[in-house]
Amino acid sequence: MSRNALAVVRAAAVAVAASIIVLAAALVLGGAVAEKIIPGLGDAGTATRWGLPVARTLMDLSAAATVGGLLAGVFLLPLTGAKGAVRLGDDAAGYVRAASWAAAAWAAAAAATLVFTVADVLGQPVGEVLTGSELSGYVGQLPQGTALMLVVLLAVVVALLGRTTTTPGATAGLLVLAGIALLPPPLTGHSASAANHSVAVTGVALHVAAVAPWVGGLAVVCAHALLGRDRLGVMAERYSRMALWCYVVVGASGLVNVIARLPDPAELLSTDYGRLALGKIVAFALLGWFGWWHRRRTLPAVADRRPGAFARLATVEIAVMGATMGLAVALARTAPPAPAGEETPVKALTGYDAPPQLTFGRLAGLWTFDFFFAALVLALGGLYIAGLVRLRRRGDAWPVLRTVAWFTGLATIVAVTETGMARYAPVLFSMHMIQHMVLNMLTPIFLVSGAPVTLALRALKPARIRGDRGPREWLTAVLQSRYTSFVAHPAVATIIFVASTFALYFTPLFESAMRNHLGHIAMTVHFLLAGCLFFWVLIGVDPAPHRLPYPGRLLLLFVTMPFHAFFGIALMNLSQPVAAGWYEAVRPEWGTSVLKDVHTGGAIAWGFGEIPTFIVLIVLGFQWFFDDRRQARREDRRADRAAARGEKGAQDDELAAYNARLARLAERDETGRG
């Protein structure tokens, strides 16, 4: 083994050792490994009390390494090859293969975590769990078991496919798959049972999604520097830009998570959970200092071909990150303080008490913080403004109406996800239906009219390295991909827009989504994306793989919209309510019967379709009018250029062909009479 490879192994060993040492100290100080003798309940034993957090720490470290290797392969290192044949470079392909080994370790650690989790839940020694039938019997019944089984399966897929992946698109697909595998375990922990679990679940999902590329990316950049590979400056600069955003997301989501579990700041010092959380905050601040120092000192050193300073500081930073991840695992093993006051059945299901009787004032003024959609609106609004600023600095214009349309669409998202609508939607089907109709049939019209893809293509700069893919090139590749061509076909987009509504509400999927906050988010995002896809095909001004003529668009509109009226009529004629178990459990005392409320929701779905139809007709009318004017001006300019060259224009050719045809018909008539 070479000297550089030994340095990489030494740095990895230091990071793992730091995480295990801090984990052990935090478990002891937090009391998570203290033996608890409860009459009538079994004890899983010392091996499980220590083995579970250690296996979980190794799982998190290997997951970060997997994400970091894939990230380096497809984004941090420049790609090679000509247009149409872009592939991974040698170093990038090597990191993808290393990520496949890390994914195998991830799967093994997740399997060990699964065994220890079953032993911990059943209160049996791990040896009895392995030799008995409990493992196979309880995996599907425990949410944690199901989550870990998903991790094992997805990690194995990444490990197998990563051995032969050589294209950027396939590597990006594996990166998405690895990102999905990160989420199940933390979402079945304390976040699912926090007082405000809707905020906690979203916060922990964003937290984990930002931590993995932050930690894993730095690990690969550090290894690249220790190995003395080329392109370190490019790699470090790209990672630094990404790390800044990861740091912001980790800080914001971590703060939200702490507030959701510790509403009283005094609990940071008075509880074991609070003290561990405070230690994590201190470690987070220290990592922020490392990032600042990188930008201030080590990145210029790398630019001057002095990578030693970066490698030394990055090695120490990796150790601190490993220690922080160990502390995070210990925090997950420590129970947060129990919520004060009695928890009602409605609060246990929704995260808050039943709302008061519905009035228009409460619907507009009873604001509810939904972390996911608040972050989504801020991100979409901020990116759009950044694109406008870049165009303005370059001296380019952008239509004001597009900007107004975009922010009107964002305002409609806020109106149905952050106001009293979000508070009443989980307990009243009629309010949920208004939320659905707005996000599926009204918001997308404004978002699509804002032309965000066109703005991005104009604002983003091409990649500085020839043959590489920057954000602009990746966006173009997605638009030109076969997947986009398939889903953006008018027939496919229409089927998704129409059929998914019937498939959701008339199957058990709807009640399952309502009982799980992550499922509820997925359902709501699907409404939004399905609507954006359909209206992109119908009235979109952004580049699209398929373009219908305007008569075809009108026909598609009039064929599609009645299906939502049929859906509403079907709801109005139901004899049994949809999701009866959920709505009976959360029905407010002042509300009507669940079936009557479902009928009201059906009436809303039946009548709401007229609003988007009217708006789309107006938009299509203006688009058709202005398109005809553009065509006429284009033909006039073509004719003027032809006249200037002394040639016949297209219109003259068409007129001459028409006159010749008339002459032939006249000659045929004369011949016939003769």
Side-chain angles (χ1 to χ4, degrees):
M1 185 179 290
S2 66
R3 181 180 177 182
N4 290 341
L6 283 173
V8 173
V9 173
R10 187 166 52 249
V14 169
V16 173
S19 63
I20 298 299
I21 291 171
V22 172
L23 170 68
L27 289 173
V28 172
L29 294 175
V33 292
E35 184 177 3
K36 300 177 179 64
I37 301 176
I38 302 175
L41 295 180
D43 181 23
T46 303
T48 298
R49 284 196 296 272
W50 284 97
L52 178 56
V54 170
R56 180 64 183 270
T57 302
L58 295 177
M59 183 180 75
D60 292 345
L61 291 174
S62 55
T66 303
V67 172
L70 296 172
L71 189 69
V74 74
F75 291 120
L76 298 183
L77 281 171
L79 303 175
T80 60
K83 184 177 181 181
V86 181
R87 61 180 180 84
L88 304 178
D90 293 336
D91 288 340
Y95 289 132
V96 173
R97 288 192 295 272
S100 71
W101 286 108
W106 185 8
T113 305
L114 174 60
V115 174
F116 285 121
T117 299
V118 174
D120 184 56
V121 172
L122 297 181
Q124 296 181 3
V126 66
E128 295 182 9
V129 171
L130 288 173
T131 57
S133 60
E134 290 84 357
L135 185 61
S136 59
Y138 279 86
V139 165
Q141 300 179 24
L142 296 173
Q144 299 95 326
T146 304
L148 289 168
M149 277 301 301
L150 285 174
V151 174
V152 172
L153 293 175
L154 292 175
V156 167
V157 171
V158 174
L160 293 176
L161 297 181
R163 302 298 300 167
T164 57
T165 297
T166 59
T167 62
T171 307
L174 291 181
L175 182 60
V176 172
L177 200 64
I180 295 172
L182 292 170
L183 298 178
L187 295 180
T188 54
H190 295 319
S191 60
S193 58
N196 191 351
H197 56 258
S198 63
V199 173
V201 166
T202 305
V204 76
L206 291 175
H207 197 75
V208 171
V211 164
W214 184 25
V215 176
L218 180 62
V220 177
V221 175
C222 181
H224 197 83
L226 292 173
L227 291 171
R229 301 281 176 83
D230 294 332
R231 303 278 193 179
L232 177 60
V234 175
M235 197 176 185
E237 182 186 1
R238 292 181 178 182
Y239 170 77
S240 179
R241 291 199 299 267
M242 182 199 72
L244 176 61
W245 289 107
C246 289
Y247 187 81
V248 172
V249 173
V250 168
S253 59
L255 180 62
V256 169
N257 289 333
V258 170
I259 293 174
R261 294 171 178 82
L262 302 174
D264 185 2
E267 292 177 329
L268 284 171
L269 299 174
S270 61
T271 63
D272 292 334
Y273 188 90
R275 286 187 287 268
L276 291 180
L278 189 60
K280 192 178 176 183
I281 292 172
V282 173
F284 175 77
L286 180 60
L287 290 173
W289 177 86
F290 275 109
W292 173 80
W293 192 260
H294 275 305
R295 284 178 171 268
R296 180 79 179 272
R297 295 294 180 87
T298 62
L299 288 182
V302 169
D304 294 337
R305 299 184 181 278
R306 293 184 289 111
F310 175 85
R312 288 190 295 271
L313 187 64
T315 302
V316 177
E317 186 178 2
I318 283 292
V320 176
M321 282 185 169
T324 306
M325 294 184 74
L327 186 60
V329 172
L331 190 65
R333 291 289 297 163
T334 305
E342 183 180 356
E343 188 174 58
T344 63
V346 174
K347 188 173 183 179
L349 291 172
T350 64
Y352 50 82
D353 292 321
Q357 186 168 0
L358 177 64
T359 64
F360 181 79
R362 287 170 180 160
L363 197 63
L366 193 62
W367 283 68
T368 302
F369 179 64
D370 189 303
F371 188 25
F372 177 83
F373 286 102
L376 179 67
V377 168
L378 287 176
L380 293 178
L383 290 172
Y384 202 91
I385 291 174
L388 293 177
V389 170
R390 178 167 289 184
L391 288 185
R392 179 65 62 86
R393 288 177 178 174
R394 206 165 58 200
D396 294 340
W398 182 256
V400 176
L401 288 179
R402 291 183 182 178
T403 304
V404 172
W406 178 260
F407 284 98
T408 301
L410 296 184
T412 60
I413 296 177
V414 173
V416 296
T417 62
E418 306 293 332
T419 63
M421 183 70 67
R423 181 67 65 92
Y424 288 96
V427 300
L428 293 175
F429 182 81
S430 55
M431 294 297 103
H432 166 83
M433 189 51 60
I434 295 176
Q435 190 180 56
H436 172 183
M437 289 292 122
V438 170
L439 292 176
N440 187 235
M441 301 179 67
L442 189 61
T443 301
I445 296 175
F446 295 107
L447 294 183
V448 166
S449 300
V453 176
T454 302
L455 176 62
L457 291 173
R458 290 182 58 184
L460 291 171
K461 299 178 181 178
R464 287 183 288 182
I465 300 175
R466 185 177 179 84
D468 193 18
R469 281 185 181 178
R472 192 177 192 278
E473 287 75 17
W474 274 108
L475 180 58
T476 303
V478 170
L479 289 173
Q480 296 174 351
S481 67
R482 286 178 292 181
Y483 173 78
T484 302
S485 179
F486 173 75
V487 298
H489 190 280
V492 176
T494 302
I495 291 173
I496 294 174
F497 183 64
V498 174
S500 59
T501 300
F502 288 87
L504 175 70
Y505 287 101
F506 296 115
T507 65
L509 283 175
F510 177 60
E511 184 164 0
S512 299
M514 294 299 291
R515 290 185 177 277
N516 183 282
H517 182 67
L518 202 62
H520 185 266
I521 289 177
M523 174 181 63
T524 310
V525 170
H526 171 77
F527 293 154
L528 184 61
L529 293 181
C532 287
L533 178 64
F534 176 74
F535 287 108
W536 177 34
V537 171
L538 199 62
I539 60 171
V541 295
D542 286 326
H546 307 282
R547 282 294 184 193
L548 285 174
Y550 285 101
R553 299 185 192 189
L554 287 173
L555 179 63
L556 181 63
L557 175 66
F558 288 121
V559 167
T560 303
M561 286 307 175
F563 281 100
H564 283 82
F566 298 153
F567 167 70
I569 294 172
L571 288 176
M572 293 168 63
N573 287 280
L574 287 177
S575 58
Q576 295 292 330
V578 297
W582 169 264
Y583 283 108
E584 288 291 351
V586 299
R587 185 174 69 89
E589 296 179 355
W590 45 265
T592 60
S593 69
V594 175
L595 183 59
K596 186 176 180 180
D597 189 53
V598 169
H599 290 167
T600 302
I604 291 171
W606 175 68
F608 194 92
E610 304 298 329
I611 301 174
T613 301
F614 179 70
I615 296 174
V616 170
L617 282 175
I618 294 176
V619 173
L620 278 177
F622 277 104
Q623 287 182 346
W624 199 345
F625 172 73
F626 287 114
D627 186 65
D628 283 346
R629 292 188 61 181
R630 283 192 298 268
Q631 291 287 349
R633 287 197 298 267
R634 191 177 297 118
E635 293 296 333
D636 290 342
R637 287 194 298 268
R638 186 180 300 145
D640 291 341
R641 287 194 299 268
R645 293 191 301 267
E647 301 173 354
K648 289 185 177 181
Q651 293 178 344
D652 294 334
D653 291 339
E654 293 177 1
L655 182 60
Y658 179 70
N659 290 333
R661 182 169 176 270
L662 292 179
R664 286 194 300 271
L665 291 175
E667 183 179 354
R668 186 183 306 167
D669 291 342
E670 289 293 336
T671 304
R673 285 195 297 269

